Amino acid sequence: MRKKMTFLFCHRKLDLIKGFLTLLGLFWLLIEVTSFFWEWFNEFSNKNLGLFIFILIVTLLITLKINYPKTEISREFKNLNNTIVKIEIGELLDKEGNIIIGSSDFFDTTTNNTTSIKKQIIDKFFNGAIQSLDSQIETSLNIQNIRGITVSPTEKPVGKRVRYEIGDTAYFSIPSNINIKVFISAICKIVYKGGAKTKEADIKMLTGALEKIWSTIRNNSNNKNIYIPILGAGITGLNMSKTTLCQLIIVSYLINSKNNKIGKSLNIIIPERNYDPEMFNNLEIFIKSFSI
């Protein structure tokens, strides 16, 4: 609430003023026109201060409603098989459909980061059994005939040592909920330099990874809704704003949907803690004006 009100009165005050005066002018015009045709209303409006106060309050409320920061944006692209793009506040793992998450090129699953989506998946759907998740990932990669390259302990001192190509994507269903299928894709490289772990990623890698993800989903799902976080904002360490990453995901999805539909809808899910009214405002402008 505080973020929304701060954005509303600090960043959109000119829109508030313009909207308020415009609506007030329209209401006043309506009163003048009505008074011209009905004399009794003319006398009533001239003597009734309460009517003026009422109009001011209604105008203010409508202006606030119109300009109040949104927590959900959507648009249907009818020229792309009625594909829907939506950005909303919520929790990714509460959704049912095709869920996309990112990974390193080793598909490491061991992590102590409680905000990691992989960690949440392991705890929520696999009761903390990492081996079960690892087994499903390995099985999926084998079924797709995706093979990695084993590296030396010097190149990868800890964790898994089979490196896959950027964009290689495994998928698996959730045992406790058959309506959820998770697609996990390699979107960044892990490199050890002088014993220190570093991550390498760039926009070309992310774009290429997204194209492979869409292809995998198209071939291994049933036109269900697709749910994705702001891919690239977490493990990759990409020096790009969340707004730019969202735009990249949307453009990639729509371009790849042009000739062959990927899913029923693309839903970018943003946790409440990461909500940014200004980002939502910029993305709303982008989505409404985008054409393909």
Side-chain angles (χ1 to χ4, degrees), residues 215-230:
S215 177
T216 303
I217 292 177
R218 184 187 289 118
N219 296 329
N220 298 282
S221 69
N222 191 24
N223 194 36
K224 293 183 178 179
N225 294 324
I226 298 169
Y227 298 95
I228 185 172
I230 306 180

Side-chain angles (χ1 to χ4, degrees), residues 40-146:
W40 67 268
F41 188 82
N42 181 44
E43 294 179 3
F44 172 77
S45 61
N46 287 335
K47 298 178 180 179
N48 199 324
L49 180 62
L51 176 63
F52 179 69
I53 295 174
F54 174 75
I55 290 174
L56 285 178
I57 293 173
V58 170
T59 302
L60 179 61
L61 291 176
I62 293 175
T63 304
L64 289 173
K65 176 66 175 177
I66 292 173
N67 290 277
Y68 195 72
K70 296 180 179 179
T71 56
E72 183 177 302
I73 310 162
S74 65
R75 177 185 169 188
E76 182 179 6
F77 290 82
K78 295 185 180 298
N79 61 322
L80 297 176
N81 301 310
N82 299 320
T83 294
I84 297 171
V85 172
K86 181 185 290 186
I87 304 170
E88 61 180 299
I89 297 297
E91 293 299 325
L92 184 68
L93 300 186
D94 289 341
K95 306 300 181 181
E96 291 188 348
N98 298 317
I99 295 176
I100 301 172
I101 63 174
S103 177
S104 72
D105 54 345
F106 287 97
F107 287 101
D108 285 314
T109 51
T110 302
T111 177
N112 294 320
N113 183 1
T114 56
T115 62
S116 164
I117 298 178
K118 281 186 289 186
K119 172 67 173 173
Q120 294 176 39
I121 287 175
I122 293 168
D123 292 341
K124 183 173 183 176
F125 298 124
F126 292 92
N127 296 318
I130 295 177
Q131 297 82 358
S132 298
L133 176 58
D134 285 338
S135 176
Q136 293 225 34
I137 292 173
E138 186 176 348
T139 299
S140 174
L141 293 171
N142 288 335
I143 289 174
Q144 298 177 80
N145 199 31
I146 297 174

Side-chain angles (χ1 to χ4, degrees), residues 241-285:
S241 70
K242 289 183 174 65
T243 301
T244 303
L245 288 170
C246 285
Q247 292 171 340
L248 177 64
I249 293 169
I250 293 167
V251 171
S252 175
Y253 180 80
L254 292 176
I255 289 176
N256 283 273
S257 298
K258 193 169 184 178
N259 297 321
N260 197 350
K261 194 171 183 177
I262 301 169
K264 186 177 180 180
S265 68
L266 173 70
N267 304 267
I268 300 178
I269 308 300
I270 301 173
E272 178 69 36
R273 64 182 180 276
N274 294 332
Y275 175 70
D276 181 355
E278 186 173 2
M279 179 181 73
F280 262 72
N281 182 62
N282 293 334
L283 287 173
E284 181 181 19
I285 296 171

